[in-house]
Amino acid sequence: MSTVLYEVKGNIAILTISREKALNALNSEVLNDLDAALDAVDVNAVRALIITGAGKKSFVAGADIGEMSTLTPEEGEAFGKKGNDVFRKIETFPIPVIAAVNGFALGGGNEICMSCDIRICSDNAIFGQPEAGLGITPGFGGTQRLARIIAPGLAKEIIYSTKNIDAAKAKEVGLVNEVYTQDELLPAAEKLANKIAKNAPIAVRACKKAINEGLDLPMDEAIVLEEKLFGSCFKTHDQIEGMDAFLTKRKEKNFIN
Ligand code: CO8
């Protein structure tokens, strides 16, 4: 049975990492299942994806420490690559991905949520990178993404000292956009996903590409990227439909992928 559950609700979908006895820790099986689940998402029908963890205690409590404990340097590098490949797939996924962080997001848990476009969390969420206390560095992108998302000095403090931060602090520093009660979290994630899904899929995908790829470019090249993506929207069904709806004062819009 897969350790990742997949549910489609209209034109949004939810991936739930489900290894609750180990607080949804990421072993090779979970990473393989996650990879396969992402491949199975029909991005022509689904317009926004939510990733969450099973239960109310933990989103993902990190990579599986038992599995990692006996790795050789070569195996460690290969395990890091396995996680990085899956997380990069999430980051570059054609449609927006929302992390609904329902508890511990430690190590690989914080790293997977940082690969998502948008992070929201429950009020019991705890974020951190405990790796230095285990004798390793973060290995699924933590040293790179945390210092890009929050202030580099704070990222360094969290990584070097292994101090965790709570939901309120995560919101204060911009690691998450909003904090909800545990019961409100998933409905809020679905509401946000549905709001995204109502907009033109072609435009939303182009916005994701423009923001993500543009962040890695000098501004002169980044705005050229935007010009190209902006231009590519014209004469699409969605552009014609969206502008016609405005000009004819029509509320309902029939966007397609
Ligand atoms: N790996 C394996 N098992 C875990 C993990 C984990 N990361 N986290 C929790 N579990 C298991 C526990 O062993 C326990 O199992 P059992 O019931 O069989 O003893 C079960 O989940 C419940 O956990 P606890 O009893 O510890 O629950 P508590 O509520 O007391 O504590 C904590 C919850 C604070 C989350 C605690 O479990 C904890 O500290 N977990 C480890 C957190 C951690 O250090 N995560 C980072 C791991 S390193 C990492 O993610 C590196 C990523 C990059 C890897 C690159 C590889 C090259």
Side-chain angles (χ1 to χ4, degrees):
M1 207 181 82
S2 176
T3 57
V4 176
L5 311 176
Y6 181 56
E7 187 186 1
V8 177
K9 288 187 163 184
N11 46 20
I12 68 166
I14 305 171
L15 287 183
T16 305
I17 298 170
S18 185
R19 195 181 165 226
E20 216 177 324
K21 277 190 184 154
L23 304 184
N24 305 321
L26 303 168
N27 59 12
S28 293
E29 186 188 6
V30 177
L31 289 173
N32 289 337
D33 288 347
L34 195 52
D35 196 34
L38 289 165
D39 286 343
V41 177
D42 179 358
V43 292
N44 292 316
V46 173
R47 295 181 181 179
L49 180 66
I50 296 167
I51 297 182
T52 194
K56 291 206 164 168
K57 183 171 173 180
S58 181
F59 173 67
V60 168
D64 190 291
I65 298 171
E67 182 174 339
M68 283 189 297
S69 62
T70 57
L71 297 182
T72 63
E74 293 73 25
E75 289 166 341
E77 200 175 323
F79 190 55
K81 179 166 167 38
K82 189 192 246 319
N84 274 330
D85 286 350
V86 179
F87 292 9
R88 190 75 179 131
K89 191 179 271 190
I90 293 169
E91 195 165 44
T92 59
F93 210 57
I95 57 174
V97 184
I98 300 167
V101 181
N102 56 310
F104 292 114
L106 299 173
N110 193 35
E111 290 168 316
I112 191 172
C113 80
M114 290 191 295
S115 306
C116 298
D117 294 284
I118 296 168
R119 287 163 292 283
I120 59 175
C121 73
S122 53
D123 50 16
N124 64 323
I126 299 284
F127 300 82
Q129 298 287 160
E131 288 90 344
L134 294 164
I136 56 173
T137 68
F140 294 159
T143 56
Q144 302 310 307
R145 292 194 181 92
L146 191 59
R148 283 167 165 81
I149 293 172
I150 66 172
L154 182 58
K156 288 176 178 176
E157 184 181 335
I158 289 169
I159 291 170
Y160 303 164
S161 75
T162 68
K163 81 171 207 186
N164 292 338
I165 60 171
D166 64 14
K169 182 74 178 175
K171 182 170 180 203
E172 185 193 319
V173 301
L175 185 55
V176 300
N177 292 5
E178 282 303 334
V179 181
Y180 298 93
T181 64
Q182 293 180 57
D183 289 339
E184 286 171 340
L185 178 66
L186 210 50
E190 288 182 24
K191 192 173 167 194
L192 177 58
N194 278 310
K195 196 160 167 50
I196 292 169
K198 280 206 171 72
N199 284 325
I202 287 173
V204 172
R205 285 174 184 224
C207 290
K208 173 166 177 169
K209 198 173 160 61
I211 294 170
N212 281 1
E213 293 181 15
L215 278 172
D216 293 331
L217 294 173
M219 186 55 82
D220 284 333
E221 290 172 38
I223 54 174
V224 171
L225 172 69
E226 187 188 81
E227 286 160 15
K228 288 195 186 318
L229 288 162
F230 173 69
S232 74
C233 294
F234 287 87
K235 298 292 177 214
T236 62
H237 168 92
D238 287 358
Q239 176 262 322
I240 294 165
E241 170 68 5
M243 293 194 184
D244 181 70
F246 176 81
L247 294 171
T248 58
K249 304 192 186 303
R250 176 164 51 85
K251 279 215 162 58
E252 288 309 309
K253 294 174 211 166
N254 178 29
F255 289 130
I256 57 169
N257 270 308

